[in-house]
Amino acid sequence: MLQTALVLLAMGITCSLLGYGILSLLNRPGLLTEKPLPIRQPLPCLLAGTVAATIYAQLFSLFHGVGLAADLGLAVICLLILWGMRRQITEDLTTLRSSLSPGKTLSLLLLFLAAAYGTSHGIMHYDTGLYHAQSIRFVEEYGVIPGLANLHSRLGYNSAVFPLTALYSFSCLCPTSSLHVTSGYFAFLLGLACLPIGHLLKRERPVLTDFVRFAGLYYLFNIFKEMVAPASDYALNCFLFCLLILWVDLEVRGEREVLPYALLSCGVVYAVTIKLSAAALLLLAIRPIVRILRERTGAKQAAKLIGRYVLLGILIALPWFLRNALISGWLLYPSTVIGIPGAVWQVPRDLAEGDAAGIRAYARGTDGSLFSGGNPAFPTWFPVWLAAQPTVARLLLLFDLAAVPACPIIQLIRTIRGKKTPAFPFTEGVLLLSFLFWFTQSPLIRYGFFFVWAPVFVIGGRLFLILFDRLSERSAAAVTRALALMFLAFILYKGVRLVLTDGKLMRPQYLLTQQEYDRFDVFPYERDGVTFYRPVSGDQTGYAGYPGGPYEADIRLLGKNLRNGLTCSSTDRSPDPQHKPMND
């Protein structure tokens, strides 16, 4: 726990400084906005700094392993920001300290300690042993290897969170191990975004953001025992909940400025680099684009401002695209829509497509019985898939599936009746489309917690508030108190359950150190003089069985050593064995 607390503190300080410097730059009049806005708040700074740190780690990985040199470079950048903006930072820190009551300070301390404790030990994600740990170690030692996905197709699933994990793993201090705290860090960010729900009892009425925050807290309790693993699923869901909370909060406040919405849209670009499942949420960018077109007097001026935001999005995504191109030879692996011409390290098309089909089949039939069916029709896989989901998830899924056709139908009826105001605002529409995108692609609940829960709590919360506003003042106060008491009961119930179950996972040494990656028995084999490893049984090699994969890969080196790259020796290799992620 002490180790994870120190790393979380390092991540918090460096990301805060990076985010503060970037938001200060973007907030300059004449660049993206006409007047400075109060956007240098703690959570936006942490989110912006996380994006910046990830971009830095990915760019560094293109030239070198992400280790001590990368850490020193990051430290130098942060010191320069601290020195160059020391006056503004001092003033804002003074303002922040004055706004922190003893209750807020205690809440922040408890949240930080909970994140450090939860990240120190727990249940290691199945996919971490399968390929997460290997991906992170390759980033630590080599940065990027052309054709790495030929060693194991899962290594082609390039998530931006892996270079970020390598940046803060401090493996240089312990060559046989590596710290992995990114899931706990993203959980801390989400916890920070959810803390204001505690003001519910002080307010006269709940706000829509409270419902999103409740969904976020529910997710945090769900992953608390598992966030020791640096899985991209946890980072994605936590980051998306943070973005949605800030977005809905802007709507609740009636924010009219373009900049906050546009920056959050750029944050969605970052989410896509964590996992492609978030791609449909890029539609949120329509809102700031439309507002720019409406408010700018000239088309040239509007196009110039939109172009700057687009450039910012490209800068966020570019390092990820470059890593994709080098690791697999495909820009959006496992999709084979866009390939890199002449890339000798490219994963063969049939293998990439087979891998994508396997993931999709597994997600649609969690018992694995549909693998032999190729690409079964919706009536075949949907009942099996739905029956395998937990009861709560099943109810929410049915709500989402019903809302997809219901919302447009309700809106059509209102339009026919001459009502101009939308029944369900723009945000709800995008959330439903993002759910539909996830559902039709790879509907594994672990990937899509956000896509399932967010539409339910935003649409359901808005409907609840419509009914709430029709209550008398006395009834409204009673309902608000009841909601606050239900929330407290939920926190106590979940908290007690965590305490009771954590005893099976906690060990005294985890108060000082972090639980290491799981270890597996491996068997060595050689390719062109380089020793690789495969598991003696199963398909996991973990962090220690390096370099390795679940089977003896049919590969050859592109040069004298591994750094030069890998290519597939033949194209008749069968796709990956059945993918078996950890049960949800």
Side-chain angles (χ1 to χ4, degrees):
M1 181 177 173
L2 179 61
Q3 275 187 336
T4 54
L6 291 174
V7 178
L8 286 174
L9 190 62
M11 292 186 76
I13 292 173
T14 54
C15 289
S16 294
L17 287 170
L18 289 173
Y20 190 92
I22 288 170
L23 291 182
S24 298
L25 174 65
L26 298 179
N27 202 28
R28 291 176 60 186
L31 183 60
L32 297 177
T33 182
E34 295 178 354
K35 60 179 180 180
L37 298 174
I39 60 174
R40 293 183 310 200
Q41 303 300 318
L43 182 59
C45 282
L46 283 166
L47 293 175
T50 303
V51 175
T54 307
I55 294 172
Y56 168 80
Q58 290 181 103
L59 288 174
F60 200 97
S61 74
L62 296 176
F63 307 98
H64 197 275
V66 180
L68 179 60
D71 292 331
L72 292 176
L74 180 65
V76 169
I77 293 171
C78 290
L79 288 173
L80 289 174
I81 293 173
L82 182 62
W83 175 256
M85 307 187 70
R86 58 190 182 280
R87 183 174 299 176
Q88 300 98 306
I89 291 174
T90 302
E91 292 175 357
D92 285 348
L93 282 177
T94 302
T95 304
L96 179 63
R97 278 200 301 268
S98 63
S99 67
L100 287 177
S101 64
K104 286 183 180 179
T105 304
L106 179 61
S107 298
L108 287 171
L109 179 60
L110 290 176
L111 175 62
F112 177 81
L113 292 176
Y117 181 82
T119 317
S120 67
H121 66 284
I123 302 170
M124 194 64 72
H125 197 299
Y126 189 97
D127 282 6
T128 297
L130 183 66
Y131 75 97
H132 295 165
Q134 287 281 322
S135 296
I136 292 165
R137 188 159 182 181
F138 274 111
V139 175
E140 291 171 348
E141 301 203 12
Y142 289 97
V144 64
I145 294 176
L148 180 62
N150 288 295
L151 174 62
H152 178 206
S153 61
R154 296 292 182 266
L155 296 175
Y157 286 64
N158 170 41
S159 174
V161 79
F162 296 150
L164 180 67
T165 303
L167 182 65
Y168 291 101
S169 70
F170 300 105
S171 59
C172 54
L173 303 179
C174 185
T176 60
S177 186
S178 170
L179 298 176
H180 34 93
V181 300
T182 44
S183 293
Y185 172 74
F186 280 98
F188 173 78
L189 295 183
L190 179 53
L192 192 62
C194 293
L195 278 182
I197 198 175
H199 299 156
L200 178 61
L201 198 57
K202 298 180 181 179
R203 293 195 297 263
E204 296 180 357
R205 69 187 297 274
V207 295
L208 186 57
T209 324
D210 291 330
F211 295 89
V212 185
R213 288 188 173 114
F214 177 80
L217 282 173
Y218 189 95
Y219 182 68
L220 288 179
F221 278 112
N222 267 18
I223 68 169
F224 188 83
K225 293 188 296 184
E226 302 168 10
M227 64 188 189
V228 65
S232 56
D233 311 329
Y234 306 146
L236 174 71
N237 285 295
C238 288
F239 191 80
L240 287 179
F241 270 119
C242 287
L243 293 184
L244 184 61
I245 288 169
L246 292 176
W247 184 281
V248 174
D249 201 41
L250 291 175
E251 292 183 335
V252 169
R253 299 202 318 260
E255 180 63 61
R256 303 295 301 173
E257 293 292 337
V258 172
L259 181 62
Y261 292 103
L263 291 181
L264 289 175
S265 300
C266 291
V268 176
V269 176
Y270 173 72
V272 173
T273 68
I274 297 177
K275 218 170 189 66
L276 275 171
S277 307
L281 287 170
L282 290 172
L283 293 171
L284 287 173
I286 293 174
R287 179 167 188 164
I289 290 173
V290 170
R291 188 162 289 182
I292 290 172
L293 293 173
R294 284 179 178 175
E295 295 179 357
R296 295 289 162 169
T297 54
K300 185 176 180 180
Q301 187 181 17
K304 186 177 180 180
L305 183 56
I306 292 172
R308 288 175 178 173
Y309 283 118
V310 171
L311 179 60
L312 182 58
I314 291 173
L315 290 175
I316 293 172
L318 184 60
W320 178 72
F321 279 124
L322 292 174
R323 282 181 52 82
N324 277 348
L326 288 170
I327 291 173
S328 66
W330 301 97
L331 213 56
L332 297 170
Y333 185 88
S335 169
T336 56
V337 174
I338 306 175
I340 309 302
V344 295
W345 62 86
Q346 187 177 75
V347 176
R349 180 183 295 272
D350 60 328
L351 297 184
E353 292 175 348
D355 192 41
I359 289 289
R360 186 164 53 250
Y362 185 88
R364 290 178 177 179
T366 51
D367 62 354
S369 63
L370 300 181
F371 261 87
S372 59
N375 188 21
F378 179 80
T380 302
W381 68 262
F382 179 71
V384 177
W385 174 81
L386 187 64
Q389 308 309 322
T391 303
V392 174
R394 200 179 309 156
L395 294 173
L396 298 181
L397 284 162
L398 291 174
F399 179 98
D400 289 327
L401 290 169
V404 169
C407 289
I409 291 172
I410 293 172
Q411 185 57 50
L412 179 62
I413 294 172
R414 288 174 62 87
T415 303
I416 293 173
R417 291 180 177 178
K419 296 183 179 181
K420 297 182 178 179
T421 56
F424 298 95
F426 169 74
T427 303
E428 281 88 325
V430 173
L431 290 175
L432 284 175
L433 287 174
S434 67
F435 162 77
L436 204 58
F437 178 79
W438 164 82
F439 179 74
T440 57
Q441 295 300 308
S442 184
L444 198 61
I445 289 292
R446 193 187 69 244
Y447 299 162
F449 189 99
F450 173 86
F451 306 112
V452 175
W453 281 68
V456 174
F457 278 82
V458 173
I459 295 174
R462 198 178 293 277
L463 293 174
F464 176 88
L465 291 174
I466 291 173
L467 298 175
F468 182 88
D469 290 338
R470 296 179 180 179
L471 298 175
S472 65
E473 184 176 343
R474 183 175 180 180
S475 297
V479 170
T480 302
R481 287 194 296 271
L483 286 175
L485 290 174
M486 290 170 62
F487 171 71
L488 288 174
F490 167 78
I491 294 295
L492 287 173
Y493 170 73
K494 285 290 189 178
V496 169
R497 283 197 63 182
L498 278 179
V499 171
L500 293 177
T501 57
D502 185 68
K504 300 176 182 178
L505 304 172
M506 182 60 183
R507 300 290 183 272
Q509 64 265 29
Y510 297 150
L511 291 174
L512 294 177
T513 61
Q514 185 183 30
Q515 176 182 327
E516 293 187 0
Y517 290 109
D518 291 341
R519 292 178 175 270
F520 306 92
D521 293 330
V522 293
F523 183 83
Y525 67 96
E526 284 195 8
R527 291 290 185 269
D528 293 342
V530 175
T531 300
F532 296 91
Y533 297 90
R534 64 167 177 81
V536 172
S537 62
D539 56 5
Q540 296 171 291
T541 53
Y543 184 86
Y546 168 87
Y551 47 78
E552 291 193 15
D554 187 11
I555 55 174
R556 59 182 177 83
L557 271 60
L558 289 175
K560 294 182 179 180
N561 53 53
L562 194 56
R563 188 179 297 277
N564 299 126
L566 299 168
T567 188
C568 187
S569 295
S570 63
T571 57
D572 59 355
R573 185 176 53 157
S574 60
D576 248 8
Q578 178 175 325
H579 182 50
K580 297 179 180 179
M582 185 179 68
N583 294 329
D584 292 285

